[in-house]
Amino acid sequence: VLKIIRLILFLVFIYLFLNYIGGLFLPFIIGYILCIVLYPLFKILNNRYKIPKPLSSILCIATLIFLVVFLGVGVIGQIVKEGKEFIKDLPYYVNSIKTTFDEINENVKGLMTILPDGLEKALINFFDNFSSIIGEFLGNGLKNTSIKVIKKVPNALMITIISIISCYLMLIDKENIQKFIIKQLPKKYSDKFGIVKSGIGDAVFGYIRAQLIIMCLIATICFIGLLILNAPYALFIAVVIGIIDALPVFGSGFILWPWALYNVITQNYGLATGLIIIYVVILVTRQLVEPRILGKQIGIHPLATLMSIYVGLQIFGAFGFIIGPILMVIIKALQNENVLPKWR
């Protein structure tokens, strides 16, 4: 009973912290994550080469910025460029898709004349509503999403600056900060802090690292395939597919199959065949690579992942897409460390 109560209190604490307090400390959470990533390099500079801590911290952050700017700016710039072109051409694609759906709708209505009157009217209403929903989503849905993203750019810039400054300060005094946090914990928890921290760190960062590797691999396969097919916005679409492929149940087929079907309807059989081949290559690659990459990590069932994403989105909004699965991984890591009761 006490373990169950402890689990419930833990979940309540996580919810309250992330929902009411986490947003306030987001730059410092990001700064701490950057600190963990850069700390091995910081130790090398400070211990092996005897470079003072402030300068070592500056060099670490400068290295990170250099990698992001000079290695990522070309790719990110191309993605943004293709994204802008896609949004610019979006009305054309929306009209094309709506026209195709209208043609299908009319053909289906013609076939339904042989059905009983009640069933015929019900199906016609369904397809009419479905077509209007598709048009509304492709038109206003994507437009509203773009506006929301643009409005958040200034806030994101401020968070980035504060995150970098907090990372610099944490690198300089990481040991003392960690000791201070441990001292604030009750004795019986502070003794286990190192073991639990190590277990959670390995699980969470292992899970994130594995997902990023798989996402990059899938995006690379898509990009090469789309380049061969001479498809427009190859890099932008490849990145989107790589992100969506990380979703349980959905996968890359969520985009590739409707896209291939649309090209079959519009009699572009070459592109449709190429998209199906890309999907098959992705499917085979994932089956071969995923067990190797995730084999040593703490994995969770796809259904549990889907549930965690949905619950995370409902509770924490857009960030719940990331927070949900990570919380699930943390709970399993705590179970493995016997801090929380295991599922029967």
Side-chain angles (χ1 to χ4, degrees):
V1 173
L2 289 175
K3 287 186 176 181
I4 293 173
I5 292 173
R6 187 190 306 169
L7 174 59
I8 293 172
L9 291 175
F10 171 76
L11 294 175
V12 170
F13 169 76
I14 291 295
Y15 167 75
L16 293 175
F17 178 80
L18 292 176
N19 206 36
Y20 296 102
I21 304 175
L24 299 174
F25 293 95
L26 181 61
F28 307 100
I29 295 173
I30 296 174
Y32 180 69
I33 294 172
L34 293 177
C35 174
I36 294 174
V37 173
L38 295 175
Y39 195 68
L41 176 60
F42 175 83
K43 293 291 287 185
I44 292 173
L45 294 175
N46 182 238
N47 293 345
R48 182 180 299 179
Y49 297 103
K50 308 301 180 183
I51 298 176
K53 287 185 177 182
L55 183 56
S56 296
S57 182
I58 292 174
L59 289 174
C60 288
I61 294 173
T63 302
L64 176 65
I65 294 174
F66 174 82
L67 292 174
V68 171
V69 172
F70 287 93
L71 298 182
V73 72
V75 176
I76 294 173
Q78 184 64 24
I79 292 172
V80 172
K81 179 183 176 182
E82 292 185 5
K84 288 180 178 178
E85 292 175 356
F86 176 78
I87 293 173
K88 181 181 177 182
D89 297 335
L90 190 59
Y92 166 76
Y93 294 113
V94 170
N95 291 330
S96 177
I97 293 172
K98 288 174 68 176
T99 302
T100 303
F101 268 103
D102 290 339
E103 292 175 358
I104 295 173
N105 198 12
E106 292 300 321
N107 293 331
V108 171
K109 286 179 181 179
L111 295 173
M112 287 180 185
T113 55
I114 61 175
L115 298 174
D117 290 341
L119 181 58
E120 179 186 347
K121 290 180 180 178
L123 289 174
I124 288 174
N125 288 334
F126 169 77
F127 280 104
D128 285 340
N129 292 333
F130 183 74
S131 298
S132 63
I133 290 171
I134 292 293
E136 181 70 18
F137 170 75
L138 291 174
N140 296 331
L142 293 177
K143 180 181 178 181
N144 293 336
T145 301
S146 302
I147 292 172
K148 289 179 181 178
V149 171
I150 292 172
K151 286 182 177 179
K152 291 184 178 181
V153 169
N155 188 44
L157 180 61
M158 183 179 68
I159 289 174
T160 301
I161 294 172
I162 297 176
S163 298
I164 292 174
I165 296 173
S166 62
C167 175
Y168 165 79
L169 297 173
M170 290 177 187
L171 279 172
I172 294 175
D173 214 16
K174 183 175 181 294
E175 292 87 353
N176 291 331
I177 294 173
Q178 186 168 295
K179 288 177 182 178
F180 173 80
I181 294 173
I182 294 174
K183 286 180 180 179
Q184 312 312 308
L185 299 174
K187 179 64 177 176
K188 63 177 182 177
Y189 294 115
S190 62
D191 293 339
K192 296 181 179 180
F193 181 81
I195 299 174
V196 173
K197 175 175 171 290
S198 176
I200 293 177
D202 292 342
V204 173
F205 286 102
Y207 174 81
I208 294 174
R209 182 171 59 248
Q211 293 299 334
L212 287 175
I213 291 172
I214 294 174
M215 285 170 59
C216 291
L217 182 61
I218 298 303
T220 302
I221 293 172
C222 284
F223 178 62
I224 294 172
L226 293 175
L227 278 182
I228 294 173
L229 295 173
N230 198 27
Y233 325 112
L235 184 58
F236 174 73
I237 294 175
V239 171
V240 172
I241 291 176
I243 295 171
I244 291 180
D245 191 73
L247 288 169
V249 180
F250 291 96
S252 56
F254 186 71
I255 289 181
L256 291 176
W257 276 110
W259 192 4
L261 179 61
Y262 171 77
N263 282 281
V264 169
I265 295 172
T266 56
Q267 299 182 347
N268 192 351
Y269 300 115
L271 182 56
T273 304
L275 293 173
I276 293 172
I277 292 172
I278 292 174
Y279 175 76
V280 173
V281 172
I282 289 174
L283 188 64
V284 173
T285 303
R286 177 174 274 281
Q287 294 299 320
L288 293 174
V289 172
E290 190 172 35
R292 297 174 181 271
I293 296 177
L294 291 173
K296 296 182 180 180
Q297 312 302 336
I298 295 182
I300 51 180
H301 194 277
L303 180 59
T305 305
L306 182 61
M307 291 174 64
S308 65
I309 289 174
Y310 177 76
V311 174
L313 288 171
Q314 295 300 313
I315 296 176
F316 304 112
F319 285 107
F321 173 78
I322 300 172
I323 295 173
I326 290 179
L327 284 179
M328 186 68 75
V329 172
I330 290 174
I331 290 172
K332 190 161 186 186
L334 291 173
Q335 289 178 328
N336 290 345
E337 300 295 338
N338 296 318
V339 175
L340 296 176
K342 296 183 179 179
W343 310 117
R344 291 181 181 272

